[in-house]
Amino acid sequence: MALLGAAWIPMWYFLNLFLQQDLGYGAFASGAALLPMTVAVMIFMIGITARLLGRFGAKPLIVLGLAVLAVGVGGLAFSGSAFLPASLVAAVGMSLAYIPAMMSALSGVRPEESGLASGIVNTTYNVGSALGLAVMTAIATSQENGFDAAFVGAGVVAAAGALLTLVLMRRPAQVPQEQPAHV
């Protein structure tokens, strides 16, 4: 979740800045240009990812989602004014990774600990987002073409997340079910 946030949130931030500073979009036009990504995320998260999760399990979707996110975010560095295709690829990747990552993080937790676990997972995502944005900002300000450097950097983070998930993620241990009291 930390690496997902570290790739996704900087991409949103720098894409918005790119639209306004390089392409000359106003604030409203920039927001409107990002709307297709939002719609794609909603469609995939609500309508598609849950079905795929039931069919393939979390690990393949997280790996695939982070890899697709890496391609989309990294592709923004080379897209110029034709940013829509790369941004939609990134949105699909985020959608494929987020729900399975959240579900797998919570799957091995006892019901009475689910609130705590959810809070830890959300905090991890937010800390990853903040650190990713800080690092990508440092990268962007140190390069001639800062937007491209930030997009490539965020893509590398997503690719690293895919690789780490592939290598390190195991099935969560099953939580022992409490036995009902015999009467």
Side-chain angles (χ1 to χ4, degrees):
M1 288 301 284
L3 294 175
L4 180 60
W8 180 247
I9 297 303
M11 188 259 339
W12 274 101
Y13 176 78
F14 284 105
L15 183 54
N16 204 344
L17 282 180
F18 170 75
L19 293 173
Q20 292 181 35
Q21 293 178 2
D22 275 16
L23 299 184
Y25 286 34
F28 182 80
S30 179
L34 297 176
L35 192 56
M37 288 178 65
T38 303
V39 171
V41 167
M42 289 175 17
I43 290 170
F44 269 83
M45 278 192 185
I46 294 169
I48 297 171
T49 301
R51 290 185 196 132
L52 294 174
L53 182 59
R55 187 169 191 176
F56 299 106
K59 183 176 179 177
L61 289 182
I62 297 169
V63 171
L64 177 63
L66 286 167
V68 170
L69 177 61
V71 169
V73 174
L76 288 169
F78 308 102
S79 66
S81 61
F83 63 90
L84 184 60
S87 69
L88 291 175
V89 169
V92 168
M94 166 45 157
S95 301
L96 290 173
Y98 185 83
I99 297 295
M102 180 65 80
M103 296 300 290
S104 66
L106 300 176
S107 67
V109 176
R110 289 190 287 263
E112 65 271 13
E113 295 174 342
S114 62
L116 174 64
S118 178
I120 290 170
V121 172
N122 283 319
T123 300
T124 301
Y125 178 80
N126 288 321
V127 169
S129 298
L131 289 173
L133 184 56
V135 169
M136 294 314 133
T137 300
I139 289 170
T141 57
S142 71
Q143 300 296 313
E144 173 107 7
N145 193 336
F147 292 120
D148 290 348
F151 292 140
V152 168
V156 168
V157 169
L163 183 62
L164 287 170
T165 301
L166 182 65
V167 172
L168 299 176
M169 185 175 174
R170 292 179 281 180
R171 289 194 112 136
Q174 293 296 319
V175 176
Q177 300 296 318
E178 293 185 26
Q179 298 296 323
H182 294 283
V183 183

